[in-house]
Structures are given as C-alpha cells and as structure tokens.
C-alpha cells in the first residue's frame, strides 16, 4: 500500500492546459473531454491546469511527468509571430497564449514528454520562434484543412493522407509510411522554428507533424489523434508511446527523489 506522497505506484501525471471561455455572464476555464480521455488512454493521470502566473510555472512542472497541449477553436494570437490579426472574426485566447508559450519553453528545458495537438502544435512552433499561416485555405497551392460539415462526426472524418518522414520519431511510433488523418484547422505551420524536425507532411506540402530535436518524446501533430482514439490503431500507438515516455519520466523523477 503506498503512503501519502509516495507516487511510486501511481500513474504518471500529465498536465493539460485549459482554454478560456465565457459561459453566460461568467469566465470559465475549459478542457475538451476527449483530450482528458486521451491522457487516460495513454495510461496517465490527467491534471487540467486552468492557467498559471509566471511564478507558478515551475511549481506546476514539478508535478508533471508529461504535458498534453490540446486543440481549440481559438487561434494563437498572430502578434506572437509578429503579424496583425488578418480575420478579426476568428476566436482568440490570449489568456491561454500568455502562459502556455513560456510554459512550453520551461517544459522543454526540463525535457518533459510532450504531445501537442492541433492548436497545441501551433503553440509549440510559435513558442520556439516559428510562424503560422493565419488562414492556410486562402493561400494558393494549399488545400482547405478546416473540418467540413455540420456534425462532429463529419468535421473529424479522415480528410487527407500524411506522408511520414523516414527515420524520425513519428515513423518509429506509428510504423507507417503514410496514413489518413482528420483535419480541423485554419492556421498551420508557416516557418518551422529552429530546433524542430519535420515528421510528416500533407499532400499539399503543409507540415502536419514535427518533433523537438534532442528530446525523447516531444511530438506535435496538426490532426486529432484523441478523436475516437480507441477506434484508430495509429492514434492508440501515438497515445501509448506518449504514455510510455511519461512513465519513464516518472521513474527518473522517483530516482532523483530517492537520491
Ligand atoms: N484554431 C486553430 C487550431 C485548430 C484546432 O485546434 N482545432 C480543434 C478544435 C476543437 C477541438 O477539437 O479541440 C486553427 O484553426 O488552426
């Protein structure tokens, strides 16, 4: 039986940053249930983080064996990559940006396992100095990567192939050269930040997955592996590889604590 504070038999803890929404007259912190479920499918314990002041970031990361950056209908504010907002009708979440961007730099310093999904992938690229297309569907030569249809089933249906770059983390995890993914995004990687490795591309050349050089597991995907993950063997390989990396991190943390 484990005693209080003994995490040796506990699942690894994965922090899940929340989004900010106004419901009725009041502000709320919200996290998509499918992301929380995906952390459990990875074999980890989800810990949703409402937001964080700069002086709280290290204390939060002291609790973590991994981080999952979720998708969101909101866009990363273009000011973070030096641009004005092109379409003011699209939702933003500056409160999330304000803490997740520095949070990402700190988790990378600590070499914590990271799975960054859709908006989360965009945050990772911007946090490291990269830039985004604000509306990739409006650019010549690129497809429309936004979800199509009225229902979630339609919006998250498999939409296009991704071609996996050989020799990288994604190929090692999914063991496929190409596979079909869903697509629910209007922003997309424009300039990939230095220190990041392309792991997959869409048929139109768009970067659809990337990893952080030198980290055991820091993977960003533009699609949604959390969507109906148990029905998608490739999604489950991704989540289980992330969970394995988090368990390894938890073991390292325990070794350090035991000195
Ligand atoms: N708003 C950004 C990111 C898109 C994104 O994360 N889509 C998922 C929305 C809802 C969800 O599944 O969490 C963009 O448009 O590129």
């Amino acid at each position: 039986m484990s005693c209080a504070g003994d995490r040796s038999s506990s699942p690894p803890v994965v922090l899940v940053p929340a989004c900010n929404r106004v419901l009725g007259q009041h502000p709320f912190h919200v996290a998509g249930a499918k992301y929380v479920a995906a952390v459990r499918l990875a074999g980890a314990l989800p810990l949703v983080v409402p937001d964080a002041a700069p002086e709280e970031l290290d204390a939060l990361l002291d609790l973590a064996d991994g981080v999952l950056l979720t998708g969101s209908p909101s866009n990363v504010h273009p000011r973070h990559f030096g641009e004005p907002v092109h379409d003011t009708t699209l939702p933003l979440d500056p409160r999330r940006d304000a803490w997740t961007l520095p949070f990402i730099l700190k988790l990378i310093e600590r070499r914590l396992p990271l799975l960054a999904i859709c908006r989360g992938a965009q945050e990772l690229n911007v946090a490291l100095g990269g830039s985004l297309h604000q509306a990739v569907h409006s650019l010549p030569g690129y497809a429309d990567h936004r979800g199509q249809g009225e229902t979630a089933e339609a919006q998250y249906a498999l939409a296009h192939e991704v071609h996996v770059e050989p020799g990288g983390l994604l190929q090692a995890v999914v063991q496929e050269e190409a596979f079909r993914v869903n697509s629910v995004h209007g922003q997309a990687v424009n300039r990939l930040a230095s220190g990041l490795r392309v792991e997959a591309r869409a048929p139109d050349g768009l970067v659809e997955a990337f990893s952080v050089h030198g980290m055991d597991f820091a993977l960003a995907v533009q699609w949604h592996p959390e969507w109906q993950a148990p029905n998608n063997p490739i999604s489950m390989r991704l989540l289980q590889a992330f969970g394995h990396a988090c368990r390894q991190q938890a073991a390292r943390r325990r070794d350090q604590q035991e000195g």
Side-chain angles (χ1 to χ4, degrees):
M1 181 179 77
S2 62
C3 60
D6 172 7
R7 287 171 55 184
S8 58
S9 58
S10 302
V13 172
V14 169
L15 303 187
V16 181
C19 298
N20 298 279
R21 295 276 182 85
V22 175
L23 304 178
Q25 302 296 314
H26 302 286
F28 282 75
H29 302 289
V30 296
K34 56 188 171 64
Y35 299 105
V36 172
V39 170
R40 292 196 167 100
L41 287 170
L45 182 66
L47 202 53
V48 175
V49 181
D51 64 6
E55 62 271 17
E56 294 175 329
L57 295 178
D58 282 315
L60 277 170
L61 288 167
D62 286 347
L63 303 174
D65 301 308
V67 174
L68 185 145
L69 297 172
T70 74
S72 173
S74 70
N75 285 341
V76 178
H77 199 294
R79 69 163 167 263
H80 294 296
F81 46 94
E83 293 184 11
V85 175
H86 293 165
D87 182 344
T88 56
T89 67
L90 296 176
L92 298 167
D93 190 345
R95 188 165 176 177
R96 169 166 165 171
D97 297 338
W99 77 274
T100 56
L101 298 180
F103 179 68
I104 288 166
L105 297 179
K106 282 182 171 284
L107 75 88
I108 288 175
E109 279 173 22
R110 293 174 178 233
R111 301 170 58 77
L112 282 180
L114 170 65
L115 180 58
I117 295 172
C118 206
R119 189 201 207 267
Q122 296 163 1
E123 283 173 325
L124 174 58
N125 183 44
V126 171
L128 292 175
S131 67
L132 304 176
H133 294 303
Q134 293 193 43
V136 67
H137 43 279
S138 67
L139 301 174
Y142 288 108
D144 189 340
H145 286 256
R146 293 172 296 183
Q148 307 300 321
E150 297 303 315
T151 66
E153 292 294 335
Q155 291 163 7
Y156 288 81
L158 298 181
H160 64 73
E161 273 206 333
V162 291
H163 299 276
V164 179
E165 294 290 321
L169 172 60
L170 182 63
Q171 185 190 46
V173 169
V174 301
Q175 298 288 308
E176 303 284 350
E177 291 181 3
F179 56 94
R180 286 180 63 77
V181 296
N182 51 41
S183 186
V184 188
H185 64 103
Q187 289 192 328
V189 172
N190 180 356
R191 185 183 71 257
L192 193 66
S194 61
L196 296 177
R197 180 193 191 277
V198 175
E199 295 280 350
R201 289 185 184 274
D204 61 7
L206 207 58
V207 172
E208 284 276 335
F210 50 91
S211 59
V212 181
H213 279 293
M215 287 185 66
D216 294 339
F217 195 105
L219 184 63
V221 294
Q222 191 61 75
W223 67 90
H224 289 269
E226 85 290 351
W227 172 257
Q228 297 183 348
N231 304 336
N232 186 316
I234 289 178
S235 296
M236 289 306 293
R237 287 175 214 159
L238 271 174
L239 294 178
Q240 285 163 1
F242 174 54
H244 176 70
C246 295
R247 279 187 293 280
Q248 289 184 312
Q249 174 61 28
R252 283 192 291 270
R253 173 174 46 76
R254 285 195 296 272
D255 291 349
Q256 286 165 3
Q257 286 167 349
E258 288 156 13

